[in-house]
Amino acid sequence: MLSYEKAKASADFILNKIKIVPKIAIILGSGLSDYHQKLDEKIEIPYSQIPDFPEATAIGHKSKLVFGKIGSKYVIMMCGRFHCYEGYSMEQAAFPVYVLKLMGVETLVVTNAAGCINEEFDVGQLMVIKDHIKLVIDSPLRGINDERLGPRFNDMSFAYSPRLRDLAKEVAYGLGLTLREGVYAFMPGPSYETPAEIKALSILGADAVGMSTVPEVIAASHCGLEVLGLSMLTNMAAGILDQPLSHEEVIEAGKNGADYFAKLIDAVIERL
Ligand code: HPA
């Protein structure tokens, strides 16, 4: 069961270190892990110091919170997130989202690297997430609900804020960046999907696939954070091209797209 008390203790610990309440939090996915370097007035807090925070063990992920300023805005960044394939439950993967909420954060930007299912989209492009598909039974909200965190049955109709999606599209247009919009399918990994699974997800309406983000967005919806979800399309999903997938390819494409990703996020944050 999600513990309000634990999330509150973590939130108080972090606030005590940073003193200022940031209204914006960003979860940095693979490929964006260096984005925190551009922050001014930086304060870094390793996850290992924060009560009840897990450790990020995924390749390409750091394991710290970084607080600071981008332009005129204070933000807090999760450099490293928790995936179910690392052995974490969805509840553990979602725990930091409640911590951010209890700190006073209002907007959550979630980023990830994703496999591209929609053949009209291209590797290297960014996609704003308009909705998701989760076929696995698990949810971060399974178990007894604590009403202090959110309602038992939360509405997911606008989990990916239409306002923020429009803002991201407007900002991308202004910068001359291509920004796709689509549905993100969650798959638990760590194996990449089979070609048959990708075909099935495509028929179901997915445009991209990945192993993160969805537990965090369910939690954000539950506790009332406004979410912007952005995917970097790092590879064509399994079976679309007649070639195998490799994690190196995903990391490499993530690195290549990092500047483009950063440019968009910088401009979105300034407008929030
Ligand atoms: N599948 C799942 N997760 C991913 C992929 C993929 O093809 N690419 C990047 N993350």
Side-chain angles (χ1 to χ4, degrees), residues 113-116 187 191-193 198 209-211 234-238 245 250:
C116 181
M187 291 294 272
S191 305
Y192 286 114
E193 301 68 35
I198 294 300
V209 59
M211 304 174 196
T234 50
N235 57 286
M236 292 314 284
L245 304 191
V250 170

Side-chain angles (χ1 to χ4, degrees), residues 8 22 43 46-47 57 74 113 139 206 217 221 224 236 239:
K8 184 80 175 73
I43 300 175
Y47 292 165
T57 67
Y74 284 103
S139 160
V217 173
S221 160
M236 292 314 284

Side-chain angles (χ1 to χ4, degrees), residues 95-160:
F95 175 76
V97 173
Y98 294 100
V99 175
L100 295 169
K101 171 72 183 182
L102 294 178
M103 283 170 55
V105 165
E106 293 171 359
T107 304
L108 179 65
V109 180
V110 279
T111 67
N112 60 50
C116 181
I117 296 179
N118 186 327
E119 294 186 48
E120 288 178 11
F121 299 175
D122 264 327
V123 168
Q125 292 181 337
L126 285 182
M127 184 186 92
V128 60
I129 306 176
K130 69 173 174 199
D131 206 343
H132 74 226
I133 297 174
K134 171 179 78 67
L135 295 175
V136 297
I137 298 164
D138 203 3
S139 160
L141 310 185
R142 278 183 79 183
I144 296 165
N145 187 58
D146 187 330
E147 292 284 327
R148 289 173 295 177
L149 295 174
R152 169 73 293 185
F153 298 106
N154 65 303
D155 175 33
M156 294 287 292
S157 306
F158 303 105
Y160 297 87

